[in-house]
């Protein structure tokens, strides 16, 4: 018992030191740290010692502490996590638009890796990995028992090496096995096209450091042939990214000093309002203000923003800002519903934790956490009224609840659909209907087969006719 007590005190001291270090190094100058739960730390120390003394194989102290930290964070919500040195480095590189791997946004559910969204034009996207897929085996290793960080590390690797994912997919009677080839993921976060004379199309695939500046360049290219009659901003399947980039993108279409979003959390610096101002969208002081190069007409051109269940986080901030400020018509289906802010807190040894520190709100004060942005006009993905079944924030285990009161309960209730599916005959559906329902989405930018985009262009044309009516 003496050894157990001694080990308990040592382990309590170790964990206490970690907690105090985290409190002071990552949250300096904030409220004084709360007292440590001594009894619970003694229980932890007892478990730690039992593992050290009796587990079937020796376990390194550092590994046990890391597991404890990972467990604490992963049980809070789906987006709080521990980042070891490799994961922290990958996170830093990833925000710059280049990283190694397969190209999927993932979370954890029931011990399996759950695909939130494949990133456009990456190995996972091209191989047919879908939102909602459950990865239960990576090569010959079962995912059950691995942390999310460990699973992600196994999926990463040297470019041109192969990996096999075994997947459980809704609607499939047996596991789906997909072999992919790893590559350096270079995400071109902004793409554009002049769809028709006078009608522009902008696609944002993710919000990285240079996304807002790239958006301005694409806008200038779209305006080169002449003024635009309408613009479609496509945020479908955009998993999000950097907050300041979302503010920068919103600033391209809103008047200066317009409220874009606000955040609210327990600490003073988690309570903040963000405006379409350089001090909020520029990442560094002294950085060139890319908004100065914006075509003036971009702030007044009629706009439609396309969203769906894969539109999350930063893309929801933009959609909510443009919707609440009456700047654009939001079209599509209800978005993912990730309305929380994660702060990366560096730790010793080039590690860090990604901790949920606040909820964000649209300019009118709506919280979209676990609800999403409801479109002004509901348009399904297909003309027959069908859309892909998608994973949403509310489906994730331990998801953060929406803390707004009853007045916001309808915030994500879709508007009445404006586009009705064509009537079907009582007999077998026609061949055209069968083909349309099963046809895979086109990878062509602004494809003519993109039903939602077609409806957006039709709406803009209708607005143009209304404006020109005497």
């Amino acid at each position: 018992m003496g050894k157990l007590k001694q080990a308990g005190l040592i382990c309590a001291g170790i964990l206490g030191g970690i907690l105090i270090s985290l409190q002071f190094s990552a949250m300096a100058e904030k409220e004084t740290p709360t007292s440590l739960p001594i009894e619970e730390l003694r229980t932890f120390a007892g478990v730690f010692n039992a593992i050290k003394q009796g587990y079937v194989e020796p376990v390194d102290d550092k590994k046990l502490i890391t597991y404890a930290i990972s467990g604490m964070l992963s049980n809070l919500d789906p987006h709080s996590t521990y980042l070891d040195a490799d994961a922290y480095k990958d996170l830093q590189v990833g925000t710059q638009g280049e990283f190694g791997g397969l190209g999927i946004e993932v979370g954890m559910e029931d011990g399996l890796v759950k695909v939130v969204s494949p990133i456009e034009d990456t190995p996972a996207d091209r191989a047919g990995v879908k939102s909602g897929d459950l990865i239960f085996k990576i090569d010959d290793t079962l995912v059950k028992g691995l942390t999310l960080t460990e699973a992600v590390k196994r999926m990463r690797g040297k470019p041109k090496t192969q990996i096999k994912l075994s997947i459980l997919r809704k609607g499939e009677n047996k596991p789906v096995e997909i072999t992919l080839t790893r590559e350096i993921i270079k995400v071109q976060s902004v793409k554009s096209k002049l769809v028709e004379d006078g009608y522009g199309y902008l696609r944002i695939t993710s919000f990285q450091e240079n996304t807002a500046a790239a958006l301005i360049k694409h806008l200038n290219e779209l305006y080169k042939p002449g003024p635009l009659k309408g613009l479609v901003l496509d945020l479908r399947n955009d998993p999000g990214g950097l907050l300041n980039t979302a503010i920068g993108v919103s600033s391209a279409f809103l008047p200066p000093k317009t409220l874009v979003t606000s955040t609210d959390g327990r600490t003073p610096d988690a309570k903040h309002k963000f405006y379409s101002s350089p001090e909020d969208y520029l990442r560094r002081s002294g950085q060139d203000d890319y908004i100065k190069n914006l075509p003036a007409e971009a702030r007044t051109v009629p706009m439609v923003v396309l969203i769906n269940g894969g539109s999350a986080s930063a893309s929801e901030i933009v959609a909510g800002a443009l919707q609440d400020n009456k700047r654009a018509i939001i079209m599509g289906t209800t978005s993912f519903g990730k309305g929380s802010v994660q702060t990366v807190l560096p730790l010793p040894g080039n590690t860090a934790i990604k901790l949920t520190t606040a909820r964000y709100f649209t300019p009118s004060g709506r919280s979209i956490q676990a609800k999403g942005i409801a479109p002004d006009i509901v348009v399904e993905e297909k003309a027959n009224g069908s859309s892909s079944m998608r994973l949403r924030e509310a489906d994730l285990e331990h998801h953060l609840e929406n803390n707004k009161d009853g007045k916001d309960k309808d915030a994500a209730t879709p508007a009445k659909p404006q586009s009705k599916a064509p009537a079907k005959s009582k007999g077998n559906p026609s061949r055209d209907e069968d083909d349309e329902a099963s046809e895979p989405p086109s990878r062509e930018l602004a494809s003519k087969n993109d039903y939602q985009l077609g409806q957006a262009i039709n709406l803009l044309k209708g607005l143009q006719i209304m404006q020109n009516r005497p």
Side-chain angles (χ1 to χ4, degrees):
M1 283 297 293
K3 287 185 178 180
L4 176 60
K5 183 176 181 181
Q6 184 179 17
L9 291 172
I10 292 171
C11 293
I14 291 172
L15 186 59
I18 290 171
L19 293 172
I20 293 170
S21 173
L22 173 60
Q23 188 79 2
F24 281 103
S25 66
M27 298 184 172
E29 300 179 8
K30 295 186 181 178
E31 60 189 51
T32 54
T34 56
S35 59
L36 294 172
I38 300 300
E39 287 303 316
E40 287 76 10
L41 288 176
R42 283 178 179 150
T43 301
F44 170 84
V47 174
F48 187 98
N49 186 64
I51 295 171
K52 290 292 294 180
Q53 295 291 331
Y55 187 65
V56 64
E57 293 178 352
V59 187
D60 179 67
D61 288 354
K62 183 178 179 181
K63 183 177 286 188
L64 276 180
I65 294 294
T66 298
Y67 287 166
I69 296 172
S70 296
M72 272 194 291
L73 290 159
S74 63
N75 280 286
L76 293 175
D77 66 80
H79 309 293
S80 294
T81 186
Y82 173 72
L83 304 171
D84 64 16
D86 290 337
Y88 186 28
K89 182 179 178 181
D90 286 340
L91 176 70
Q92 292 169 310
V93 173
T95 60
Q96 298 167 5
E98 181 175 324
F99 53 94
L102 304 177
I104 44 176
E105 296 281 333
V106 295
M108 208 80 177
E109 183 171 299
D110 296 329
L112 302 179
V113 173
K114 193 160 193 175
V115 177
V116 173
S117 179
I119 300 172
E120 190 173 291
D121 198 27
T122 61
D125 180 45
R126 293 191 293 268
V129 175
K130 297 181 179 180
S131 174
D133 282 351
L134 288 170
I135 302 171
F136 71 90
K137 191 191 291 187
I138 302 169
D139 286 328
D140 295 323
T141 302
L142 289 173
V143 170
K144 205 80 168 176
L146 299 179
T147 65
L148 182 59
T149 300
E150 289 170 331
V152 168
K153 190 180 292 186
R154 287 182 179 274
M155 287 189 283
R156 293 191 177 119
K158 292 183 179 179
K160 299 182 181 179
T161 59
Q162 287 195 327
I163 180 174
K164 184 172 71 175
L165 302 181
S166 299
I167 290 170
L168 299 176
R169 178 175 293 167
K170 189 173 182 179
E172 297 287 346
N173 295 325
K174 59 182 181 179
V176 177
E177 293 194 345
I178 299 177
T179 300
L180 308 92
T181 302
R182 298 180 180 94
E183 62 184 52
I184 295 295
I185 309 297
K186 294 184 178 181
V187 179
Q188 183 184 345
S189 62
V190 184
K191 302 173 183 179
S192 65
K193 185 176 181 179
L194 202 60
V195 181
E196 295 182 23
D197 185 28
Y199 293 94
Y201 171 83
L202 278 168
R203 167 94 179 108
I204 300 181
T205 59
S206 60
F207 287 77
Q208 301 162 359
E209 282 188 16
N210 299 319
T211 297
L215 178 84
I216 304 302
K217 292 180 181 178
H218 280 268
L219 277 169
N220 278 295
E221 287 297 317
L222 288 173
Y223 271 96
K224 270 186 180 179
L228 293 178
K229 301 172 187 175
L231 179 67
V232 176
L233 177 62
D234 189 354
L235 300 178
R236 292 172 297 178
N237 300 318
D238 182 330
L242 299 174
L243 173 61
N244 69 293
T245 302
I247 298 164
V249 169
S250 302
S251 300
F253 304 110
L254 294 171
K257 299 182 180 179
T258 300
L259 181 63
V260 174
T261 188
S262 61
T263 59
D264 188 26
R266 291 173 58 203
T267 59
D269 60 356
K271 305 175 190 293
H272 195 82
K273 290 186 176 181
F274 297 90
Y275 295 85
S276 52
S277 302
E279 54 267 29
D280 284 336
Y281 59 73
L282 295 181
R283 197 169 177 85
R284 302 178 299 275
S285 59
Q287 184 181 353
D288 183 47
D289 185 0
Y290 45 78
I291 294 292
K292 291 179 179 178
N293 301 319
L294 176 76
E297 301 89 340
R299 285 197 165 118
T300 56
V301 63
M303 279 184 69
V304 171
V305 177
L306 291 175
I307 61 170
N308 65 4
S311 307
S313 190
S315 55
E316 292 175 295
I317 289 176
V318 174
L322 299 184
Q323 186 179 53
D324 280 6
N325 285 295
K326 310 297 183 187
R327 175 61 188 90
I329 296 171
I330 312 301
M331 179 183 284
T333 56
T334 302
S335 63
F336 183 78
K338 182 186 176 294
S340 60
V341 179
Q342 281 69 49
T343 301
V344 177
L345 305 174
L347 297 174
N350 295 318
T351 63
I353 64 171
K354 187 166 66 169
L355 185 67
T356 299
T357 54
R359 291 176 174 89
Y360 66 74
F361 300 84
T362 70
S364 67
R366 289 182 294 155
S367 169
I368 67 159
Q369 173 60 26
K371 289 186 175 181
I373 294 289
D376 299 309
I377 301 176
V378 175
V379 176
E380 304 291 346
E381 292 177 6
K382 298 291 183 180
N384 63 10
S386 66
S387 283
S388 301
M389 293 294 293
R390 293 182 183 277
L391 173 76
R392 286 189 166 84
E393 176 80 6
D395 300 321
L396 298 178
E397 193 176 14
H398 304 307
H399 71 268
L400 193 68
E401 294 293 340
N402 190 304
N403 69 340
K404 296 291 282 184
D405 56 27
K407 69 181 181 180
D408 240 15
K409 285 183 180 178
D410 295 329
T413 302
K416 187 177 180 180
Q418 300 295 310
S419 59
K420 296 181 179 178
K424 295 183 180 180
S425 62
K426 294 183 180 179
N428 293 328
S430 69
R431 180 172 176 175
D432 287 344
E433 287 173 334
D434 271 339
D435 291 345
E436 182 179 42
S438 61
E439 180 187 358
S442 172
R443 299 190 184 280
E444 178 190 350
L445 186 67
S447 167
K448 291 181 179 179
N449 296 324
D450 187 335
Y451 178 70
Q452 290 173 319
L453 175 58
Q455 294 303 302
I457 296 296
N458 288 339
L459 177 61
L460 289 170
K461 288 179 177 178
L463 293 174
Q464 180 71 19
I465 292 171
M466 294 293 291
Q467 288 178 354
N468 293 335
R469 180 175 291 178

